[in-house]
Each structure stands twice: as C-alpha cells, then as structure tokens.
Amino acid sequence: MSNLEQNCIDAGLKMTAPRRVILQVLGQAGDHPSVDDVYARAKEIDSSMSIATVYRTLSLFDEMGFVTRHEFQEGRSRYEVSSDHHHHLVDLETGKVIEFKDEEIEKLKTKIARDLGYDLVECRLELYGRKIKTDG
Amino acid sequence: MSNLEQNCIDAGLKMTAPRRVILQVLGQAGDHPSVDDVYARAKEIDSSMSIATVYRTLSLFDEMGFVTRHEFQEGRSRYEVSSDHHHHLVDLETGKVIEFKDEEIEKLKTKIARDLGYDLVECRLELYGRKIKTDG
DNA sequence: ATACCTGCAAATGGTTTGCGAAGTT
DNA sequence: AACTTCGCAAACCATTTGCAGGTAT
C-alpha cells in the first residue's frame, strides 16, 4: 500500500475506488498537474471518474496536507504531493515547474517578517524565467 | 493634471470621464484596492460608473504598466499604482497589505534563477503573517 | 446501519465580451 | 467623420455544491 493511501486511512478517510485511482495518479505524477491533468489521467484508469470528485478529492487532500495547491500565474490550480518545503521556478516558455530550496531565503523571509512586526505563517515565492540559451 | 493622467495621454489613450474618475480613485488610494473597491469609490464620484468599465480600465492600465495587478491568496485581484519594485506581506487577520523592499532578496533570487539556468523575468514573493502581539 | 462518498447537473463568482449608443480628437 | 470607449446584459471558465443514490466500515 502506498504512503499516501496509508495517510488517508490514518486520517479516517474511506478508501473508495475513485480515491484510490486519484492517489495512484498523484503517486505517479512527477510534475505539478492541474485538476484537468489529474482528471484526464484518472479517467484513463477509470473512465467513469467525475471531475467533481477530482475537485473534491484534491481539495480534501490539500486540507489534510497530503498535497499542496499552487496558483501560479495562469488562472488555474496545480497540485503536487506535499514534500519538504521548497519554492518554484516556472519556465515561461514551456510552463515547466522546477523546484528549489534555499536556506538563505528561508532565513531572510523570516527576518523580514519579524522586522515588520509579524510572525511568518506562510509564504509564496515564485520565480518566472526564460531558459538561458547556451549558444547552440 | 495628475501624473497618471499624463501617462494616459502620452500613451494615446482617450481621456474620458470614467477614466478620469478611475485615475482619481487610483491616485488617492493608499492601499491595494480590489476591483470592487475601485468600483465603489468611483461610483461615489460618478454613480453611473459601470463595473465593466472598471475591469476594462484596470486591465488596460495594467497592460500599460500604470498599475500592477496582484492575486494574493484570496480569489480576486487587487491593484496598486506601479512604483519601485517591492514585495508584499499580507496580514492574515486584517487582509492589510504591507510593502517592503530588500536588496539581499533581489540578489538572491537572481542568483537562484541563474544557477538553475534561467534568466529571471518576473517574481512573486508574498509573505503571509500574523501581527506579533507586544504584550498589551 | 449509518456516516461518508460519488456522479450529475445546476449554481457560483470573478472576470470578459458582443453590441449598439455615446464620446473624444 | 473616424475611431475609441461605455454601459448593459449575456457569456465565460474554473470551481463549488445540492441532491439522490451508492459504498466503506
């Protein structure tokens, strides 16, 4: 049984067929799929899958912390299986999302918030860039 | 004539009554108003103002670079008159938006993008926090 | 048995747009 | 006069939700 599935059981969620399918899709996803992406992939496994269920399940998993919802600047949500804290760089040409971590940034943002009189609760850091051409 | 108004004229935009009202509202706004905020304030000056015009005008001004559109994590857009590059801290309790600048962050994000093989084109950095209570 | 889930279709809510009328240069 | 821009109402689109039937525990 997958890690994600165990999480669901531990959380007291009922393990239904649609959920298992969505968990499988998420477990196999190496990217940051949109709701439609998840829906399309799930539908290949079980063609009776409903988009409402995908929306509901992803929202639920997000609340539970199993997945993280992102709203990059493109007008729809993308999800990823939750993992260590990191940020994202979005390739403006391909839409590809690259993850990165940086200790200095972490310290800096906490300090900035504190200097402004705030406890940092959450943070959104997204870089948008174009691949540097290495003279081809 | 306001700076913003001059910008519009220079850009070849027609100076209509609704636009003048919206410019006035933007010029007086010290905050980061939503479309509805701008609409409400504009309507106080000219009750015939249409929300469609507010949407169209703000989008236009955004494209022109006169204002900057933000989508904080609350499901609607907020606008601010464009100014020096800065980032935002959102007060989770009040929704108030605080601006800040930080040279170190600027350097760091450019470096991070470069290290990943990208030219940094754009960036979104938003901190969400709760005010530190100073023992009242 | 009884919560909880699901699929469907309809509703939502912010935003955009077609159209004919009105305004700007 | 020529071209924009406006206001209205309808359209859009991602997302949410009410409901009636189905399912895991």
Side-chain angles (χ1 to χ4, degrees):
Chain A
M1 184 186 316
S2 77
N3 220 344
L4 283 161
E5 203 164 321
Q6 189 59 56
N7 283 345
C8 289
I9 293 168
D10 292 349
L13 301 182
K14 305 214 160 159
M15 279 316 308
T16 64
R19 281 182 182 169
R20 254 189 271 271
V21 170
I22 292 171
L23 286 170
Q24 181 185 338
V25 167
L26 291 173
Q28 291 171 352
D31 54 352
H32 298 67
S34 66
V35 175
D36 276 323
D37 291 336
V38 174
Y39 176 52
R41 294 174 201 177
K43 217 163 182 184
E44 269 176 42
I45 301 171
D46 173 359
S47 67
S48 73
M49 176 70 58
S50 154
I51 186 115
T53 298
V54 176
Y55 271 106
R56 270 192 284 236
T57 305
L58 289 176
S59 293
L60 178 64
F61 288 179
D62 180 34
E63 270 170 45
M64 296 298 201
F66 307 157
V67 302
T68 303
R69 173 188 194 151
H70 295 290
E71 300 206 330
F72 300 128
Q73 304 188 61
E74 53 178 4
R76 60 177 176 165
S77 302
R78 287 173 174 277
Y79 287 86
E80 69 175 313
V81 175
S82 298
S83 64
D84 289 356
H85 183 72
H86 61 261
H87 299 293
H88 302 85
L89 183 153
V90 181
D91 185 316
L92 286 171
E93 264 140 25
T94 67
K96 190 178 144 201
V97 177
I98 297 168
E99 304 180 354
F100 68 86
K101 276 186 235 198
D102 189 290
E103 250 330 297
E104 262 192 271
I105 287 268
E106 299 312 306
K107 283 183 209 151
L108 214 42
K109 67 189 204 195
T110 305
K111 177 182 182 329
I112 290 169
R114 182 152 306 264
D115 288 351
L116 291 170
Y118 281 79
D119 273 330
L120 184 61
V121 175
E122 220 188 307
C123 162
R124 186 193 235 177
L125 171 58
E126 294 155 17
L127 306 183
Y128 295 82
R130 227 182 299 284
K131 193 150 204 158
I132 296 172
K133 304 283 195 278
T134 51
D135 186 20
Chain B
M1 181 188 317
S2 77
N3 217 345
L4 282 161
E5 203 164 320
Q6 189 58 57
N7 282 344
C8 288
I9 293 167
D10 292 349
L13 301 182
K14 308 217 158 158
M15 279 316 308
T16 64
R19 280 182 185 167
R20 252 188 273 270
V21 170
I22 292 172
L23 286 171
Q24 181 185 338
V25 168
L26 292 174
Q28 290 171 353
D31 53 351
H32 298 67
S34 66
V35 175
D36 277 323
D37 292 335
V38 174
Y39 176 52
R41 295 173 199 177
K43 217 162 180 184
E44 267 175 43
I45 301 171
D46 173 0
S47 67
S48 73
M49 177 70 59
S50 155
I51 186 119
T53 299
V54 176
Y55 271 106
R56 270 193 284 237
T57 305
L58 289 176
S59 293
L60 177 65
F61 288 178
D62 181 35
E63 272 170 43
M64 297 298 204
F66 307 157
V67 302
T68 303
R69 172 188 195 153
H70 295 289
E71 301 205 330
F72 300 127
Q73 306 191 62
E74 54 177 2
R76 63 180 174 164
S77 302
R78 286 172 175 278
Y79 289 85
E80 69 175 313
V81 176
S82 298
S83 64
D84 288 359
H85 182 73
H86 60 261
H87 299 292
H88 302 85
L89 184 152
V90 181
D91 185 316
L92 287 171
E93 264 139 26
T94 66
K96 190 178 143 201
V97 177
I98 296 168
E99 303 182 354
F100 68 86
K101 276 187 235 199
D102 189 288
E103 252 327 300
E104 263 192 273
I105 287 269
E106 299 312 305
K107 284 183 209 150
L108 214 42
K109 68 189 203 193
T110 306
K111 177 183 183 325
I112 289 169
R114 181 152 309 264
D115 288 351
L116 291 169
Y118 281 78
D119 273 330
L120 184 61
V121 175
E122 221 188 309
C123 163
R124 184 195 238 176
L125 171 59
E126 294 157 16
L127 307 183
Y128 295 82
R130 226 181 300 284
K131 194 150 202 158
I132 296 172
K133 304 280 196 279
T134 51
D135 187 22

